[in-house]
Amino acid sequence: MGTVSVGGSPREVSTPERPGVAFAVLGAVQITLIATITVITVALPAIQRDLGLTDTDLVFATSAYSLSFGGLLVLGGRLADQLGHRAVFLAGVVVFGLASLVAAIAGTLWVLVAARFAQGVGAALAAPAAMALLGSVFPDPARRTRALAVWGVLASIGASTGNILSGVILSWVQWRWVFVAPGVVSTAILLCVPLLPKGPARRSERLDVPGALLITAGLTALIFGLGESDAVWTGVGVLVLVLFAIVQSRSSRPLVPPALLASSRRLAALLAIGLTAAAMATYFFLLALFFQKALGYSPLRTSAAFLPPVLAVLFTAAVGGRAARRFGAGVLTVVGLATGAAGMGLLSTVDADSAYWGLLVVGVTLFPVGAGFTFSGATVWAVQGTRPEEAGLVGGVVNTAMEIGPPVGLAVLVPLAVVHGATEASGYGFAFGWAAAALAVTALVVLLRHRAGAARSAAHG
């Protein structure tokens, strides 16, 4: 057993005998949850033909998962803190796995949409609970920092895996297997749950129901509005979230304590995570179009073109933990943002005559290296100073930033790619250039915040 300090008093929690195995189990879930976002992309034409869907129908099939996943993450994190991290993690994996198998056998649009929505519900429970369990898996602060840095990279691995896996699956078997795969992974994870610690004991505390309803509705409307470029739904989402902030400021037991987001360090970390997620979604979306439309690649060859990014992300996972410990999470975040900006800058030069084995492959590889370092450093930065009883909530907030980023990036940058540029390829380059500029500006913002924090620490030291 291990001891964790909660609110000034020690609380005993179980710690696993093999923390490496426990981390692998939790990491496999995180990778699977993120891969499920992208794995459907290449399968959409086959799903459309098989179920007789329109383009509008496909929007519902693709967005249902992101809507429930992103909209329920904060609530899922708070439930994990109240009901127990492992219990909520288990419930989330069960719901996600069953929904995946239902999606695999769906015969109509609405069965598929309902299954995708249920997948997101399970993911919203499992993701923050899994991140919260890291504190029990690694009670030692140094090992926990390294684990969190690696954890930050898992989103990049998941996104890359989904893109590659979908091309491979569609080349050999039916589209239904893109949903069977996460269902099989979920079953394997359930068998490994006894290897995980229970985490802090559940707490008897009233849930802020009005706050939970408001933030869920606000995030869902915002993500839907951004994903569909719908100004009305986006505006509704913003207004509901403003109302949520007002209600929280007057609540005696707020769902999200105001102090949680009062830290400029945490806000800078969430900004870095959200913007990098936005750039990554645009990166995968536009490059997939570029490879297939401008270069004439097949789905399988397109998947192969994304192999260098996967290797790059694995590299950042291997060194990110040590780098965060040695140089500091803030420094690693700045380096990651700057590296990502450089990669996007190279991609901004693409045109119809670009050869893969040239500046293109350098940019394709460099951006995910930067994204991996950013996610590593910013995740550690966001979690620093978190009390054990708020670990699930912070995990939900971090994952929410990662979920809001993609619809923001696609809503802003894809129209830029369509409107600007003499050709489709040059339009893609224009959008990549704006992404590079946004990452560079964010790197400057985070650098200034890091220096200000270091100066205050030195003054108080």
Side-chain angles (χ1 to χ4, degrees):
M1 301 288 282
T3 300
V4 176
S5 178
V6 180
S9 61
R11 176 180 290 176
E12 192 177 61
V13 298
S14 63
T15 55
E17 295 181 0
R18 293 178 290 180
V21 175
F23 180 82
V25 172
L26 297 173
V29 169
Q30 179 71 354
I31 291 172
T32 303
L33 298 182
I34 301 300
T36 302
I37 299 173
T38 57
V39 75
I40 192 177
T41 305
V42 179
L44 289 176
I47 294 174
Q48 186 175 35
R49 289 192 304 270
D50 195 13
L51 300 185
L53 307 182
T54 66
D55 289 347
T56 303
D57 294 336
L58 290 180
V59 171
F60 289 105
T62 55
S63 63
Y65 180 71
S66 296
L67 284 176
S68 54
F69 191 4
L72 292 167
L73 272 166
V74 174
L75 177 59
R78 178 52 87 189
L79 288 174
D81 290 331
Q82 292 190 355
L83 303 179
H85 296 160
R86 193 171 78 170
V88 173
F89 173 80
L90 176 61
V93 173
V94 169
V95 172
F96 175 81
L98 290 175
S100 298
L101 296 178
V102 171
I105 61 173
T108 66
L109 168 66
W110 296 113
V111 172
L112 179 60
V113 169
R116 290 283 286 170
F117 190 88
Q119 277 186 310
V121 173
L125 295 172
M131 188 172 175
L133 280 168
L134 293 179
S136 299
V137 174
F138 299 105
D140 175 64
R143 296 191 68 186
R144 185 164 60 248
T145 295
R146 291 196 294 271
L148 283 168
V150 174
W151 188 266
V153 185
L154 297 183
S156 300
I157 295 176
S160 301
T161 301
N163 276 278
I164 293 174
L165 187 62
S166 59
V168 173
I169 288 176
L170 266 293
S171 297
W172 297 100
V173 292
Q174 288 187 333
W175 61 266
R176 297 181 183 277
W177 287 89
V178 302
F179 298 115
V180 173
V184 171
V185 172
S186 299
T187 302
I189 295 300
L190 291 176
L191 298 176
C192 298
V193 165
L195 299 174
L196 302 177
K198 294 181 178 179
R202 60 181 298 172
R203 294 182 291 134
S204 299
E205 185 175 300
R206 180 177 61 85
L207 181 67
D208 177 16
V209 176
L213 294 175
L214 284 173
I215 195 169
T216 299
L219 287 173
T220 301
L222 179 64
I223 292 171
F224 180 78
L226 290 170
E228 300 304 309
S229 298
D230 189 315
V232 174
W233 279 105
T234 301
V236 169
V238 171
L239 289 176
V240 174
L241 290 176
V242 169
L243 179 59
F244 166 76
I246 295 173
V247 170
Q248 292 294 281
S249 67
R250 299 178 178 180
S251 174
S252 59
R253 294 179 179 273
L255 182 74
V256 181
L260 193 73
L261 298 179
S263 165
S264 60
R265 183 201 72 245
R266 182 169 285 135
L267 289 177
L270 294 175
L271 173 64
I273 290 171
L275 190 65
T276 302
M280 176 162 280
T282 306
Y283 162 93
F284 280 118
F285 183 82
L286 293 184
L287 279 180
L289 292 177
F290 175 74
F291 289 144
Q292 295 181 74
K293 300 178 98 174
L295 301 186
Y297 286 7
S298 67
L300 185 59
R301 191 175 179 186
T302 298
S303 294
F306 284 116
L307 282 176
V310 172
L311 298 177
V313 169
L314 293 176
F315 165 77
T316 61
V319 304
R322 291 191 293 271
R325 182 68 180 169
R326 181 173 180 179
F327 302 108
V331 171
L332 185 60
T333 304
V334 172
V335 170
L337 288 166
T339 304
M344 280 295 189
L346 290 174
L347 291 176
S348 70
T349 66
V350 299
D351 57 40
D353 297 322
S354 295
Y356 182 79
W357 294 105
L359 287 179
L360 177 57
V361 74
V362 177
V364 166
T365 305
L366 193 60
F367 169 73
V369 170
F373 284 147
T374 301
F375 287 140
S376 287
T379 299
V380 174
W381 227 24
V383 173
Q384 281 178 351
T386 299
R387 296 182 298 171
E389 63 267 30
E390 293 181 343
L393 177 59
V394 172
V397 170
V398 169
N399 279 281
T400 298
M402 198 168 290
E403 285 299 305
I404 290 178
V408 170
L410 293 173
V412 173
L413 295 175
V414 171
L416 288 177
V418 173
V419 173
H420 295 82
T423 65
E424 281 185 322
S426 61
Y428 300 155
F430 185 83
F432 287 137
W434 274 96
L439 291 169
V441 171
T442 306
L444 179 60
V445 170
V446 174
L447 177 61
L448 293 175
R449 169 57 188 81
H450 174 68
R451 286 186 171 179
R456 283 196 297 268
S457 297
H460 288 90

